[in-house]
Amino acid sequence: MALVNLNLADADLAGATVMDVNLINSNLSGANLTGANLSDSNLRSAKLHDATLVGARLQRAILFETKFKGANLNGADLSGASLVNADFRKSNLTGCRIYGVSAWGLQLEGAIQDSLIITPRGKPKITVDNVEIAQFVYLLLRNEKIRDIIDTMTSKAVLILGRFTSERKKILEMLRGELRRRQLAAVLYA
């Protein structure tokens, strides 16, 4: 269902079910969406400034460039949502479930990010306090290859910084060769 450019500012939609609805560019600023189910909805570029979304369900929602500035999302389920370029400045994200979110270019200045749940329902809860590092932490916990890469980078990488004249580059190449021989990885910044 398409409800593009709808004006629902300050509306009381607590407990409403508006799943799989197109609300692109709609104004829901100040709206009460406590416990509302907006799963699979498209809220691209919607305005939810100062809205109340406590316990709201936004699973798999498209929240691309959505403006949540000052909104209360305490306990909301954002699992699988696209949060690309979303504005969460001064918002409350405490206890949000963020498993599987796509979180790129977020604006989070002044946002409260406590106890964000990065595991799916039915699994032991693992929480972090930063949306932007959630994916990385989950990968570290669940992907052995990532752990191996980080271990290699921290135990075998040698960072070489400096300015090297053409005469000194020969010494640099000899040093790099010796590091390789010792099974270390030379990272040059010259």
Side-chain angles (χ1 to χ4, degrees):
M1 182 186 307
L3 302 171
V4 179
N5 297 315
L6 201 61
N7 185 1
L8 292 170
D10 299 314
D12 187 359
L13 300 168
T17 298
V18 263
M19 295 174 59
D20 200 20
V21 174
N22 188 349
L23 292 164
I24 294 174
N25 292 319
S26 292
N27 183 4
L28 293 136
S29 295
N32 180 6
L33 293 156
T34 301
N37 188 348
L38 295 155
S39 297
D40 300 303
S41 291
N42 186 345
L43 290 142
R44 181 185 181 121
S45 300
K47 295 167 194 71
L48 287 114
H49 301 288
D50 301 313
T52 302
L53 293 120
V54 174
R57 295 178 60 193
L58 294 151
Q59 296 105 320
R60 300 167 306 282
I62 297 170
L63 304 172
F64 184 84
E65 296 180 345
T66 303
K67 294 149 189 74
F68 290 99
K69 186 176 179 185
N72 184 357
L73 290 103
N74 192 332
D77 189 342
L78 300 165
S79 300
S82 173
L83 305 177
V84 178
N85 296 326
D87 182 355
F88 288 103
R89 289 177 291 164
K90 299 182 180 176
S91 293
N92 182 357
L93 298 167
T94 301
C96 283
R97 185 171 296 276
I98 59 169
Y99 171 77
V101 299
S102 176
W104 298 88
L106 300 181
Q107 295 177 51
L108 293 162
E109 298 81 19
I112 301 167
Q113 303 182 65
D114 294 335
S115 304
L116 303 170
I117 304 164
I118 64 171
T119 46
R121 287 194 186 281
K123 300 287 182 183
K125 284 185 185 177
I126 298 174
T127 63
V128 296
D129 291 335
N130 186 304
V131 173
E132 295 174 313
I133 66 162
Q135 292 169 312
F136 180 67
V137 171
Y138 187 81
L139 282 175
L140 284 176
L141 295 171
R142 302 289 182 208
N143 192 322
E144 189 174 312
K145 290 178 184 175
I146 297 289
R147 288 192 301 259
D148 291 344
I149 290 168
I150 291 172
D151 183 52
T152 298
M153 289 303 294
T154 58
S155 65
K156 295 188 177 192
V158 177
L159 180 61
I160 301 172
L161 303 171
R163 293 184 188 189
F164 300 94
T165 62
S166 53
E167 307 88 47
R168 308 280 280 164
K169 290 209 184 214
K170 292 177 188 174
I171 296 170
L172 180 61
E173 289 305 317
M174 288 176 27
L175 180 58
R176 183 188 295 189
E178 182 60 24
L179 289 170
R180 284 184 187 139
R181 191 180 70 71
R182 295 178 186 222
Q183 298 182 341
L184 298 170
V187 179
L188 301 176
Y189 185 76

